[in-house]
Amino acid sequence: MAERVGFFTDTTVCIGCKACEVACKEWNDVPDDGFVFRATSYDNTGALGASTWRHVAFVEQDGRWLMSSDVCKHCTHAACLDVCPTGALFRTEFDTVVVQPDVCNGCGYCVPACPYGVIDRRQDDGRAWKCTLCYDRLRGGMEPACAKACPTKSIQFGPLDELRQRAEERVERLHAEGTTEARLYGADPDNGVGGTGAFFLLLDEPETYGLPPDPVVTTRDLPAMWRWAGGAALALAAGVAVSFLRRA
Amino acid sequence: MPRRRDEMVPDAEFRSYYGQPVIKQPLWHEPHMPAYLYLGGLSGAAGAMAAAARLTGRDRLELAARMAAFAGAGVGTVFLVAELGRPMRFLNMLRVFKLTSPMSVGSWTLAAHSGLTGVAAGSAVTGLLPLAGDAASVASGLSGMAMATYTAVLLADTAVPAWHEGMRELPFLFAGSALASAGAAVMLTTPRALAGPARTAAAAGAMAEIVAGGLLEHRLGLVGEPYRTGRAGRLMRASRVLTLGGGLLATVARRSRALTALSAMAITAGALCTRFGVLEAGRASARDPKYTVVPQRDRLDAGRPASVPGR
Ligand code: SF4
Ligand code: SF4
C-alpha cells in the first residue's frame, strides 16, 4: 500500500477562478453539467454531482467574499463504499475511494448514503460518478489535475500526514495574524467519518459553505439497525404464530 | 447570509448555502421503490404464513400463502430491476456479499426467498416433488422474516435524517405492514371458512403498523417532521385511516365476501400509502438542509461531536 494521500484546500487563498473545475473536466472527460445562471452568486455549478467533481462555492458576506473549492472527501470510513452492493466502489492503494464504472449497476444506494451529498447518478448513463482523486494520474506519479491547475495553491495535494501538519501551522499563523475564525474542517481523525482524505481550512461555519457541520458515517449504527430489524422479524414471527394458534 | 426561521419549530434557526440541500435526495423512483417495498414485505410475511400453515396442517390456506409469497417476490423483483440505472447489470448484485451493505444482504435474501417460494409454488401447482415443496415452504418462513424487515435497514442505513433516525421504528412499521398485507392477500384468496388465521394476521399487522407509524412520526422530534407535513404527511395520514379501517373490518370479514374484499383493499391501499409516504418523507428530509444541519449543530454546540468508536 502506498502512502495515504489527499487534498488540503486552503480556502483563504482561493480566488474563485474555477481553474480546478475546468482542469477536472478536461482531464477526466466529465460531461457538461449544464450552463446555468443561478442568480445567487458567481457560482454556476451549484453543488457537487455526477458531472461536477470540483465545485467552487461563493459566499458573499458583509465586507468579505468566501470562496471554497469543494470535492469528494475520500472519507476514512466512507459510507458510499460501505453500502455499495456490487463492490463497484473500492479503496485504492492510495487510500482513496473510487467507483469502477464497469461494475456499477446504478442501484443508487451510495447517493443518499454519502453524508456530504457528493456522489450522484448520471441520468443518461445510469451509473454513479464522483471524484477519483485522479486515480490514473496518481498511478502515473502525477498530482491530480485540480491541484496542478490551481494558481494560488489553494488546493494542495500530498501525503495526508504532511498536509495535516502544514494545515495546523497555517491555522496557527492565521490566528497569530488576527484571523481567529480560521478553522480546519475534516482533518480530525476522531470525527464522525474517521477523518477525511480531503480536508479544508474554512473561515466560517461549515454549513455556510454547504458542508455538514458534524457528519457521521451512517454504517456506524448498522449493528444497532440489524438488531432492531431482528427484533421486528421476531415480532413478525410471533404475530404469525399467534394468528395460527387459533382453532378455526 | 441566508438565515431562516421555521414557523413550526421555533428553535430551527440555522445557516446554509443559499438554502441548498447538504445531502443528495434518494433517487429511487415512484412507483418502483415503494411498490418493491410493499411487494417484498407482502411476500416475506406470506412466506412466514405459509410455513405456519404447513406446520399446523392448513393445506388450503397454505396454498394461498405460497402463491402470494411467490407472486410478491416475482413481481417485486421486476420493480427492483427496473429501478437500476443499468438493469442489465442486475446480477452484479450477487458479485459480492457485504454485511455493511443492506442492499447486498437484501439481494441475497431476495434471491434465496424467490427460489424457495418458487419451488413451493411450483410444487403446489404441478403436484411434483411434494416433499421438496413442503420443505421450501417452511424454509420460506425464515427467508420471509428477513424479507419483511431488511428494507427498513436499507432505508435507515443512509444519511437521510428521517430514515436514519427512524432505525428503531421503521422495522416494526414495515413488519406490521407486511403482516397486514399478506393477511389481506391470503384472506382474499382463501375460502372464508378456512381464512381465520389470515384475518387475525391482517388485523394484528394493521394494529402494529399504526402503532409503529405513530411512534415514528412523534418520537423523532424535528427530524420526524417530514412524516407529518406536506405530501408525505398526507400519505401517512391516509395510510393510518385506511389501515385502521381495513384492520377493523378484518375482524368481521368472516361474515361476507364483500367485507373481506373491502378489508383487503383498504389494508393494501394503506400499506402502499405507508411505503410511498416513507419514501416521500425521506426525500423531503434530504431536500431541506434544516434536518441535516440543525441536529448536527446542536450536537456540536452541546460539546458532543460525532465519533466512530472502535473502527
Ligand atoms: S465524501 Fe461521500 S462520496 Fe466521498 S468518500 Fe465520503 S461518503 Fe464517499
Ligand atoms: S450506484 Fe454503483 S457505485 Fe453506487 S452503490 Fe450502486 S453499484 Fe455501488
Side-chain angles (χ1 to χ4, degrees):
Chain A
M1 186 102 146
E3 203 174 4
R4 183 173 186 185
V5 296
F7 287 127
F8 165 39
T9 304
D10 179 355
T11 68
T12 58
V13 293
C14 177
I15 54 171
C17 69
K18 300 180 190 169
C20 50
E21 288 192 16
V22 176
C24 174
K25 274 206 180 293
E26 289 275 339
W27 179 266
N28 293 299
D29 213 1
V30 179
D32 183 8
D33 50 8
F35 202 73
V36 281
F37 176 57
R38 306 179 64 85
T40 52
S41 69
Y42 281 111
D43 181 351
N44 57 357
T45 38
L48 291 172
S51 301
T52 309
W53 297 356
R54 270 275 176 194
H55 161 240
V56 182
F58 287 74
V59 182
E60 212 166 336
Q61 296 180 338
D62 276 349
R64 67 173 182 174
W65 210 340
L66 305 180
M67 286 156 276
S68 168
S69 180
D70 196 9
V71 69
C72 168
K73 315 300 176 290
H74 295 275
C75 308
T76 304
H77 304 308
C80 62
L81 189 157
D82 283 349
V83 305
C84 175
T86 63
L89 274 153
F90 78 112
R91 194 171 291 282
T92 71
E93 64 269 39
F94 304 103
D95 236 336
T96 55
V97 179
V98 175
V99 194
Q100 304 169 80
D102 54 335
V103 177
C104 172
N105 68 6
C107 73
Y109 201 15
C110 50
V111 175
C114 170
Y116 300 93
V118 169
I119 193 165
D120 205 355
R121 192 164 77 181
R122 266 182 212 153
Q123 278 293 345
D124 50 350
D125 154 296
R127 291 172 295 181
W129 298 89
K130 72 169 191 73
C131 161
T132 67
L133 219 141
C134 282
Y135 187 39
D136 51 349
R137 291 177 62 94
L138 295 195
R139 298 193 76 175
M142 292 183 286
E143 67 178 321
C146 55
K148 177 98 187 172
C150 177
T152 62
K153 287 268 165 280
S154 170
I155 300 175
Q156 301 175 31
F157 167 80
L160 194 56
D161 292 338
E162 243 175 83
L163 291 179
R164 280 179 177 158
Q165 202 183 335
R166 198 186 304 163
E168 298 283 357
E169 288 162 14
R170 173 77 179 143
V171 171
E172 270 168 38
R173 222 179 80 206
L174 284 166
H175 283 184
E177 287 170 0
T179 312
T180 49
E181 67 274 30
R183 84 248 359 233
L184 294 182
Y185 174 76
D188 180 4
D190 294 324
N191 71 16
V193 297
T196 54
F199 65 96
F200 304 79
L201 193 164
L202 305 177
L203 290 178
D204 204 337
E205 285 164 359
E207 53 266 44
T208 319
Y209 298 85
L211 296 163
D214 189 34
V216 49
V217 55
T218 181
T219 44
R220 179 193 70 177
D221 303 324
L222 194 52
M225 293 179 214
W226 285 125
R227 278 198 295 277
W228 284 98
L234 290 178
L236 172 68
V240 172
V242 168
S243 306
F244 280 76
L245 283 177
R246 40 180 291 155
R247 302 202 58 93
Chain B
M1 185 49 16
R3 260 174 198 267
R4 252 187 42 193
R5 187 160 260 293
D6 187 83
E7 271 75 46
M8 297 192 51
V9 184
D11 285 333
E13 191 173 293
F14 71 104
R15 303 173 73 187
S16 74
Y17 185 64
Y18 303 105
Q20 288 185 190
V22 172
I23 58 169
K24 293 274 185 280
Q25 282 184 58
L27 37 73
W28 295 320
H29 299 116
E30 290 177 352
H32 307 63
M33 193 59 180
Y36 171 70
L37 296 177
Y38 161 75
L39 289 166
L42 170 117
S43 172
M49 288 174 63
R54 176 77 265 123
L55 297 173
T56 56
R58 290 175 163 92
D59 293 349
R60 181 58 186 81
L61 194 149
E62 192 204 357
L63 174 67
R66 279 193 196 190
M67 300 319 282
F70 174 60
V75 182
T77 304
V78 174
F79 277 109
L80 196 64
V81 173
E83 176 64 66
L84 298 176
R86 288 281 171 111
M88 296 302 287
R89 291 188 181 174
F90 175 65
L91 285 179
N92 280 9
M93 289 291 188
L94 306 182
R95 206 180 145 258
V96 290
F97 176 76
K98 285 170 76 176
L99 265 178
T100 61
S101 170
M103 194 178 285
S104 172
V105 174
S107 297
W108 286 97
T109 304
L110 176 63
H113 187 70
S114 304
L116 290 169
T117 56
V119 170
S123 161
V125 170
T126 60
L128 296 172
L129 302 172
L131 280 181
D134 288 356
S137 182
V138 173
S140 76
L142 287 177
S143 58
M145 285 163 62
M147 271 302 287
T149 48
Y150 94 82
T151 44
V153 183
L154 182 77
L155 300 190
D157 193 29
T158 59
V160 176
W163 288 351
H164 186 84
E165 298 307 320
M167 70 172 85
R168 297 170 185 79
E169 294 83 3
L170 281 173
F172 290 91
L173 177 70
F174 283 4
S177 185
L179 184 59
S181 313
V186 172
M187 76 181 180
L188 199 59
T189 50
T190 308
R192 267 182 291 131
L194 302 173
R199 285 189 294 268
T200 309
M207 294 313 130
E209 183 176 354
I210 289 167
V211 171
L215 286 174
L216 180 66
E217 284 170 38
H218 296 286
R219 202 194 56 88
L220 306 188
L222 171 72
V223 171
E225 199 178 75
Y227 292 107
R228 305 190 295 269
T229 52
R231 178 165 171 258
R234 286 195 293 281
L235 283 162
M236 296 306 279
R237 280 191 294 279
S239 159
R240 176 124 3 111
V241 171
L242 288 162
T243 307
L244 183 64
L248 290 175
L249 278 177
T251 60
V252 294
R254 188 194 169 104
R255 291 193 201 153
S256 82
R257 180 96 199 126
L259 280 175
T260 301
L262 201 62
S263 163
M265 269 168 8
I267 285 175
T268 303
L272 280 165
C273 283
T274 295
R275 304 315 201 290
F276 278 86
V278 169
L279 175 63
E280 182 57 34
R283 286 183 180 160
S285 98
R287 204 157 43 223
D288 190 332
K290 171 172 70 177
Y291 303 116
T292 303
V293 171
V294 172
Q296 295 188 13
R297 177 51 56 197
D298 287 352
R299 213 151 61 202
L300 290 178
D301 290 348
R304 286 194 310 269
S307 61
V308 189
R311 265 238 242 166

